[in-house]
Amino acid sequence: MADESMVRTLGAQANAIWPQEVDLFARYRLPPEPRILDAGCGTGEIASRLAQLYPRARVLGVDIIDAHLALARSRYAGLAPRLTFEHQSIFELPMPDGTFDLTVCRHVLHSIPFPERVIAELARVTRPGGVLHLLPEDYDMLHFQRAALDPRDFWHAAAPAFGAATHTDLFIGRHAFGILATLGLDDIRVDYVVVDTLRVPRETFATIIEAWRDGYVDSIGKLTSFTRDQAVAYFTQMLATIRDPRQYAAWIVPVVSARVPSIGPG
Ligand SMILES: C[S@@+](CC[C@H](N)C(=O)[O-])C[C@H]1O[C@@H](n2cnc3c(N)ncnc32)[C@H](O)[C@@H]1O
């Protein structure tokens, strides 16, 4: 994805999702000075919100795109040194086992091959009794009113083709539970944030879909049966739906959490 559209996506997604997601953290019963990892932190939108939510926490955001890390450091310099950002791959983190009380990984698992290896690595660096909080996207959970085009045709065909071409699972949202269960994690929960035209300002929702359009139509044209122009036409119609007060659209976003067992997985 082009960097500029990714930055736009992350800002709008945080504005749309965080207000519903934030209440889920209350149930994790973290220590007063928790250590928190934001794995694949992007521009630090959520690492910074976590640092504000837990005023005595130490929060580390890691990513492999230096431009994102630089933006995060400059935007949230006021929260340093409690909030830091480092270049690290979530496939192989340099910390010892059990370092963090809470490990967060949002909007990442659908975009990488072997997501189960990353989830295992995140469980490794989380202490026994600590919590994994994942936001694994699922591209079969987007619902748009039908008009001249039926957006179901687009999402149902484009998402599997895109995933197959990029060796990624664009339906990881429904598979995360099974991966966590296989790893032997406890207290697995699946909640949903509903980004729809009733709960989220229409323009915020539209900003997300516009940024996806700008970031992905070229690749969709190359990797799926849709041409670039066809992809643009579907996005144009979906945006019109979102902006029309008489129409409805929804993006259902799974939030999957689990606790690392006190006696160790397996
Ligand atoms: C869509 S962004 C999500 C950013 C952030 N988690 C949020 O919720 O705003 C996905 C991020 O995952 C990062 N990423 C992808 N593979 C990674 C890896 N192996 N290690 C660390 N970060 C990775 C990308 O660089 C990108 O910044």
Side-chain angles (χ1 to χ4, degrees):
M1 187 187 227
D3 227 34
E4 179 278 327
S5 62
M6 172 72 96
V7 172
R8 254 191 294 146
T9 303
L10 300 184
Q13 287 181 168
N15 289 338
I17 293 170
W18 181 257
Q20 292 175 55
E21 181 185 6
V22 64
D23 291 341
L24 299 175
F25 288 94
R27 63 198 182 173
Y28 294 151
R29 302 188 311 275
L30 299 182
E33 298 185 1
R35 291 203 60 186
I36 300 175
L37 173 67
D38 186 3
C41 63
T43 51
E45 294 279 356
I46 298 307
S48 61
R49 284 168 171 80
L50 288 166
Q52 283 163 324
L53 182 66
Y54 297 104
R56 292 164 65 195
R58 277 174 296 158
V59 181
L60 170 64
V62 302
D63 206 287
I64 48 171
I65 297 185
D66 288 319
H68 286 172
L69 292 166
L71 195 56
R73 283 186 198 109
S74 73
R75 276 183 176 172
Y76 305 112
L79 291 165
R82 257 190 339 105
L83 172 63
T84 52
F85 295 96
E86 291 179 12
H87 184 120
Q88 289 168 14
S89 173
I90 55 177
F91 280 93
E92 203 172 1
L93 292 162
M95 312 85 179
D97 297 359
T99 300
F100 298 98
D101 299 292
L102 171 67
T103 298
V104 173
C105 185
R106 304 172 75 267
H107 303 293
V108 179
L109 296 168
H110 70 286
S111 68
I112 52 171
F114 309 114
E116 66 286 355
R117 292 187 195 169
V118 164
I119 294 174
E121 180 65 349
L122 300 183
R124 181 188 73 74
V125 298
T126 307
R127 72 162 166 82
V131 176
L132 289 193
H133 174 101
L134 312 176
L135 201 152
E137 294 185 11
D138 191 310
Y139 285 80
D140 205 18
M141 298 191 193
L142 285 141
H143 307 291
F144 287 83
Q145 206 172 308
R146 189 173 52 233
L149 299 168
D150 188 340
R152 280 185 307 174
D153 298 336
F154 176 73
W155 292 112
H156 287 176
F162 196 94
T166 55
H167 306 289
T168 56
D169 180 3
L170 270 65
F171 308 97
I172 186 72
R174 72 198 58 187
H175 296 140
F177 180 98
I179 295 170
L180 294 166
T182 302
L183 286 171
L185 297 201
D186 286 339
D187 196 15
I188 305 171
R189 301 186 197 197
V190 181
D191 293 279
Y192 293 94
V193 167
V194 179
V195 176
D196 73 355
T197 47
L198 295 171
R199 291 167 178 80
V200 170
R202 285 179 184 267
E203 207 41 48
T204 304
F205 193 176
T207 302
I208 297 171
I209 300 299
E210 231 161 31
W212 288 6
R213 176 198 65 196
D214 298 345
Y216 286 110
V217 285
D218 287 339
S219 328
I220 291 169
K222 288 184 194 125
L223 302 177
T224 77
S225 59
F226 295 95
T227 64
R228 183 187 188 283
D229 285 350
Q230 286 171 326
V232 169
Y234 277 102
F235 276 106
T236 301
Q237 184 184 293
M238 290 187 273
L239 285 164
T241 294
I242 292 170
R243 289 189 165 120
D244 180 346
R246 294 160 306 167
Q247 294 195 51
Y248 179 77
W251 174 31
I252 318 273
V253 185
V255 180
V256 183
S257 64
R259 200 168 285 280
V260 175
S262 296
I263 20 174

